[in-house]
Amino acid sequence: MDKIELTKGQTVLLELEGECVIGEVLHIGSKGSFIRLKNVRDFQSNNPIAGNQDYYKSEIRNIKVVEDFDTASQVGEESRAGNSVVSSVCPESVIRINLEDVQEINDKIDDHIFIHQTDAKYHDAIRYLKTQKHLAVAMEEIAGGRHASSPSLLSIATPEQIYVFDIMWMGITNDMKVLLASPKIRRIVHNARLIGDVLKHRYGAPLGRCFDILVAHISTVSNYDEQREMSVHECLAKYLNLPNNFFDSSINFKNRPLNEGQRKAAAKNVAFLHTLEDHFIHEVMLEPFYRSSERYGASLARYDEHVDSIIQLSKPRNEDLHDVERFQLNIRNDVTGGDDDEGDSSTVLS
């Protein structure tokens, strides 16, 4: 179990054997022997668990802090009250996605729309999706690319809604081909090589411009051991610190009729792609750019004396702007680490 500091009121995620639960810390037993949570939900199914729940140290495999409000100001008070546990929070113990976003994504997974025929529901979905500029796309049972025995599902997610299409029954329609190829739409995928191969050779459907999560991973790590093919589940564990057992890898999407668990699992596989793209762009790739923007934004305000600011403003050349670093795609040896030394955290790709 992670050695982290817990205080009453924190929202935490507990990894247990075969399940994950999320809830608000209500009480911590002596020497961290158990944790009592309220407002508990199963993190995998998003179903509420009635009543307060006690989880003992022996059954907890890992603890992750999901939401931490003003912990530093409460630690001393809680410690004096005998209500804090273990040691200090480390980066590896903090979920890199806030509670509101987790709940919103879980709600989208629960509310996904399953479509298996070209009925009114299908046409409503296509009409809505054609108005979008940014779609996340995932497919199930395509591990062999064009050689896969039976591609099963095509999932398409907007920031607000998830659609799961049963392509084993309905195939890839002309409407879907437009969504998958349109130059007006940017798609987010994971491992576009497989998706593109299946679409082209099984359905005659070209795949247009994509932001590939797997390519983003390979492009932004310099550690050779990290430059390998990772599943979307592994990327979520590495970059957002979601639990490894958040996904059920044993689900078979070939069986028909599909049950709710299968449909929700497909929705879950596409639900976090928008979040991963946002993380890669703004927390990894553009990190040097944001650092430069922050420095430049404070460059004039750092002068306490008005006369110094007047001198800077009167110069014929804006020296602060001249000092802005040239943009580089960020590559880190350890993307999960803390602040890197300036100049050591990025490299120009050739």
Side-chain angles (χ1 to χ4, degrees):
M1 183 174 70
D2 280 350
K3 291 186 176 181
I4 65 174
E5 185 177 284
L6 298 180
T7 60
K8 185 177 178 180
Q10 282 179 314
T11 299
V12 297
L13 188 151
L14 305 184
E15 294 184 49
L16 311 172
E17 187 65 39
E19 65 175 328
C20 302
V21 297
I22 185 171
E24 184 179 332
V25 176
L26 185 61
H27 179 74
I28 302 164
S30 176
K31 298 181 180 180
S33 57
F34 73 94
I35 301 172
R36 180 170 298 150
L37 302 182
K38 66 177 182 178
N39 301 325
V40 185
R41 304 182 73 86
D42 183 283
F43 193 57
Q44 293 168 317
S45 66
N46 200 31
N47 293 329
I49 301 174
N52 299 332
Q53 300 292 321
D54 291 346
Y55 298 96
Y56 290 86
K57 186 176 181 179
S58 59
E59 62 179 325
I60 300 174
R61 298 176 58 186
N62 201 359
I63 302 176
K64 297 180 186 294
V65 177
V66 180
E67 186 179 65
D68 194 0
F69 65 95
D70 298 331
T71 301
S73 64
Q74 296 188 27
V75 168
E77 180 181 348
E78 298 291 346
S79 297
R80 288 190 294 272
N83 233 354
S84 65
V85 65
V86 204
S87 66
S88 60
V89 176
C90 58
E92 293 77 14
S93 299
V94 179
I95 296 286
R96 287 186 280 279
I97 178 173
N98 64 46
L99 180 60
E100 290 78 11
D101 289 341
V102 170
Q103 188 60 55
E104 181 181 340
I105 291 173
N106 274 328
D107 289 342
K108 285 197 302 180
I109 293 169
D110 288 343
D111 297 336
H112 75 274
I113 297 174
F114 177 67
I115 298 172
H116 67 282
Q117 59 187 356
T118 54
D119 54 9
K121 185 165 60 172
Y122 162 84
H123 290 291
D124 288 343
I126 295 297
R127 192 177 302 111
Y128 166 70
L129 290 172
K130 285 183 176 179
T131 67
Q132 302 298 301
K133 302 298 183 184
H134 200 190
L135 301 176
V137 177
M139 298 182 74
E140 306 300 340
E141 301 295 339
I142 61 166
R146 75 184 75 177
H147 308 291
S149 59
S150 53
S152 178
L153 300 172
L154 170 69
S155 301
I156 301 179
T158 73
E160 292 78 30
Q161 184 65 60
I162 299 174
Y163 297 91
V164 179
F165 296 90
D166 190 346
I167 59 173
M168 183 182 288
W169 282 23
M170 61 189 299
I172 300 289
T173 66
N174 288 333
D175 292 317
M176 295 180 195
K177 290 180 182 179
V178 171
L179 293 173
L180 293 167
S182 173
K184 297 180 180 179
I185 298 174
R186 187 173 81 247
R187 286 148 290 266
I188 313 166
V189 301
H190 183 273
N191 201 343
R193 183 176 74 153
L194 291 179
I195 296 175
D197 191 52
V198 169
L199 290 175
K200 179 179 179 179
H201 293 283
R202 295 293 288 268
Y203 301 102
L207 179 62
R209 185 177 64 168
C210 296
F211 183 99
D212 192 326
I213 298 299
L214 180 58
V215 173
H217 159 68
I218 297 297
S219 299
T220 55
V221 293
S222 59
N223 185 339
Y224 180 79
D225 291 336
E226 293 283 353
Q227 294 177 348
R228 60 180 179 84
E229 188 169 323
M230 296 177 67
S231 68
V232 67
H233 306 169
E234 291 175 302
C235 283
L236 285 166
K238 176 177 178 63
Y239 292 101
L240 299 185
N241 207 19
L242 291 176
N244 292 319
N245 61 349
F246 177 48
F247 295 86
D248 186 352
S249 57
S250 66
I251 290 182
N252 186 332
F253 295 99
K254 297 179 182 179
N255 299 332
R256 292 298 186 278
L258 292 169
N259 58 40
E260 183 181 5
Q262 291 169 300
R263 297 193 299 266
K264 288 179 67 172
K268 185 182 291 187
N269 284 339
V270 76
F272 288 89
L273 293 185
H274 284 282
T275 306
L276 275 173
E277 183 203 42
D278 185 78
H279 174 82
F280 272 112
I281 291 176
H282 298 290
E283 302 298 330
V284 180
M285 294 177 173
L286 290 180
E287 191 271 340
F289 171 78
Y290 283 122
R291 191 172 62 236
S292 288
S293 296
E294 183 178 5
R295 281 203 303 266
Y296 179 71
S299 60
L300 188 60
R302 74 176 185 268
Y303 295 102
D304 293 330
E305 298 296 332
H306 291 296
V307 64
D308 293 328
S309 67
I310 293 173
I311 292 173
Q312 292 299 318
L313 289 169
S314 63
K315 289 183 177 180
R317 182 169 184 171
N318 187 337
E319 295 176 354
D320 294 318
L321 189 60
H322 177 70
D323 290 338
V324 170
E325 296 178 17
R326 303 289 80 78
F327 174 78
Q328 298 173 330
L329 179 63
N330 198 26
I331 298 179
R332 297 182 179 179
N333 288 319
D334 180 11
V335 297
T336 62
D339 294 335
D340 294 314
D341 293 332
E342 293 180 9
D344 294 333
S345 63
S346 58
T347 295
V348 175
L349 293 183
S350 59

